[in-house]
Amino acid sequence: MHLEKILPIMEERIKELLGTLIHPETEQDIISSGIVEHIAASEAAITIGMRFPKSRDPFAIKLKNQAEALLKTHFPDAKVLVMVKEGGTAKRPEPKNQTTTGDITKVIAVASGKGGVGKSTVAANLAVALSHMGFRVGLLDADIYGPSQPKMFGVEGYLPDAEQVDGRDLIVPAESLDVKLMSIGFFIRPTDALLWRGAMAVNALKQMIHQTKWGPLDFLICDLPPGTGDIHLSIIGELKIDAAVIVSTPQQVAVADVVRGVEMFRNEQVAIPVAGIIENMAWFTPEELPDNRYYIFGQGGAKRVAEEYEVPFLGEIPIVQSIMEGGDQGAPASSIDPRVEEWYHAIADRLVGSVMKKS
Ligand code: ADP
């Protein structure tokens, strides 16, 4: 049977199983009461997001453990992870990587072979989609050449405060749409950008990596500078990245750069698993002809590279006006346009599956 057929059946089975777990106080099962907000399943990994409406719910840990045990019994070959949205009191999965301040379960870098393909836009929308799925998300904007996350999240001009925690100075991130955000853009003026390339930028990045007060996060998305250069090696040396996502457009030149990106991450000194490729600006559909797709940059280029290099293909995003407008207006389109949210939700689902499989 094909995977496309197995996965929905698996999700149905997971729902059925979790539907047998009853919250002792409300006497409702955790599916129909909406506590299970999100299910992502692949043959190798099952991720469940739970949210308890009452904060410090005394039954949260018990239900989380029951759900984990039940799924492990029925899917012995899959890695099972149950996450609980803040507000509940359940114990978080133990963070594996203590590379930055706070407890961060997975650090995912978003990269691109070249500029202008929508890497920052994808990073922002992925962060929002993961947050909608119930995960605690931070976004580290390390794109020293054009930090655009402050604008995309409507927090331009934010001046990070310093806070003393256990004798250390920590920098407080901005917060917008439930995403914690730290950006090199908070420390430079756009006109300074050129000066900042090189040693000064690296020092500022180091500080952001090690001194940001993230608090506990399920995912930290890191928006890398475009291309493959020294700055990438500096970042990789400071921040333990668990997986990389590469964004491309379908043009041949962009696709050729993807190969360089894949090779950089696969280099044995770097050895970061590539969780997948996302094709952005895959096609254009005019408002007045909603069924027509114009493949103005060519068709399926990134998908072919993904196949050739045996990297998961995470999905494609068309050219949509709301995506561009969202970026300009301070709210990524995933937070305002349900179609865009749906596309990104599907990509985020696959990403979570891919990242958990590789752990
Ligand atoms: P990069 O980070 O790769 O340099 P950006 O994310 O800054 O690229 O995107 C470049 C421009 O393209 C921005 O104006 C952005 O709003 C726009 N853009 C990106 N993806 C899309 C899309 N799918 N549809 C419409 N506009 C997009």
Side-chain angles (χ1 to χ4, degrees):
M1 212 194 296
H2 285 302
L3 210 56
E4 294 93 306
K5 294 210 178 108
I6 297 170
L7 294 183
I9 297 174
M10 219 175 136
E11 283 189 16
E12 274 315 302
R13 180 79 187 116
I14 291 169
K15 270 194 200 153
E16 245 174 62
L17 288 168
L18 296 181
T20 63
L21 297 179
I22 310 290
H23 190 292
E25 199 179 303
T26 63
E27 295 182 347
Q28 274 190 313
D29 74 82
I30 61 173
I31 292 288
S32 56
S33 60
I35 285 178
V36 174
E37 269 195 324
H38 157 72
I39 296 174
S42 71
E43 284 179 318
I46 299 173
T47 310
I48 307 296
M50 283 175 151
R51 184 205 288 267
F52 289 84
K54 198 164 112 179
S55 75
R56 312 216 160 271
D57 188 316
F59 298 105
I61 296 176
K62 189 172 163 214
L63 284 165
K64 172 192 185 303
N65 292 343
Q66 281 179 338
E68 255 168 16
L70 193 61
L71 294 175
K72 276 182 186 150
T73 313
H74 285 81
F75 302 98
D77 295 327
K79 194 173 162 59
V80 175
L81 180 69
V82 178
M83 299 206 182
V84 174
K85 179 82 176 164
E86 212 156 25
T89 57
K91 247 180 41 210
R92 296 286 170 177
E94 280 306 310
K96 289 207 180 74
N97 301 298
Q98 278 285 9
T99 50
T100 54
T101 319
D103 306 331
I104 298 171
T105 307
K106 293 283 176 195
V107 179
I108 299 173
V110 179
S112 67
K114 63 184 204 111
V117 298
K119 166 187 58 62
S120 301
T121 308
V122 169
N125 281 289
L126 266 182
V128 169
L130 285 166
S131 163
H132 284 178
M133 284 157 67
F135 296 118
R136 296 163 301 177
V137 184
L139 180 54
L140 176 69
D141 179 7
D143 187 350
I144 57 162
Y145 303 116
S148 46
Q149 298 301 350
K151 182 160 196 220
M152 264 189 280
F153 280 87
V155 290
E156 272 177 304
Y158 172 79
L159 286 175
D161 242 345
E163 224 175 72
Q164 277 254 331
V165 179
D166 300 330
R168 295 183 62 211
D169 280 324
L170 297 185
I171 326 166
V172 183
E175 197 161 346
S176 174
L177 300 167
D178 236 357
V179 172
K180 291 188 175 167
L181 173 63
M182 182 52 75
S183 170
I184 187 88
F186 295 147
F187 303 96
I188 55 174
R189 289 188 304 257
T191 46
D192 286 341
L194 276 176
L195 283 177
W196 274 72
R197 296 182 194 191
M200 248 160 73
V202 171
N203 280 336
L205 282 176
K206 263 191 205 171
Q207 249 194 326
M208 284 166 48
I209 289 169
H210 296 295
Q211 283 174 247
T212 299
K213 189 179 172 227
W214 295 112
L217 293 180
D218 298 312
F219 292 104
L220 176 65
I221 306 291
C222 179
D223 184 2
L224 289 179
T228 51
D230 289 351
I231 190 86
H232 296 83
L233 296 180
S234 308
I235 295 171
I236 288 161
E238 295 295 329
L239 179 67
K240 190 174 173 310
I241 297 169
D242 295 286
V245 170
I246 301 180
V247 180
S248 176
T249 56
Q251 282 121 310
Q252 282 311 311
V253 269
V255 167
D257 284 322
V258 168
V259 174
R260 255 196 294 279
V262 172
E263 279 167 357
M264 172 176 79
F265 291 114
R266 286 200 173 154
N267 177 294
E268 52 184 82
Q269 310 283 313
V270 175
I272 293 174
V274 178
I277 293 178
I278 298 172
E279 189 167 87
N280 188 33
M281 311 197 196
W283 72 84
F284 172 67
T285 298
E287 291 290 335
E288 62 280 14
L289 294 169
D291 296 328
N292 289 25
R293 288 182 177 192
Y294 296 98
Y295 292 89
I296 49 189
F297 295 139
Q299 196 173 350
K303 202 175 197 165
R304 277 195 295 279
V305 175
E307 274 161 20
E308 195 178 324
Y309 282 78
E310 293 179 10
V311 175
F313 185 70
L314 295 176
E316 47 196 8
I317 303 284
I319 299 174
V320 180
Q321 196 163 346
S322 65
I323 293 185
M324 193 200 52
E325 286 170 354
D328 284 347
Q329 288 164 7
S334 282
S335 65
I336 42 179
D337 183 337
R339 282 175 316 162
V340 179
E341 141 78 11
E342 210 173 288
W343 292 323
Y344 273 102
H345 197 119
I347 289 179
D349 249 354
R350 277 176 226 128
L351 176 62
V352 171
S354 176
V355 170
M356 300 318 297
K357 197 163 79 183
K358 292 211 159 72
S359 62

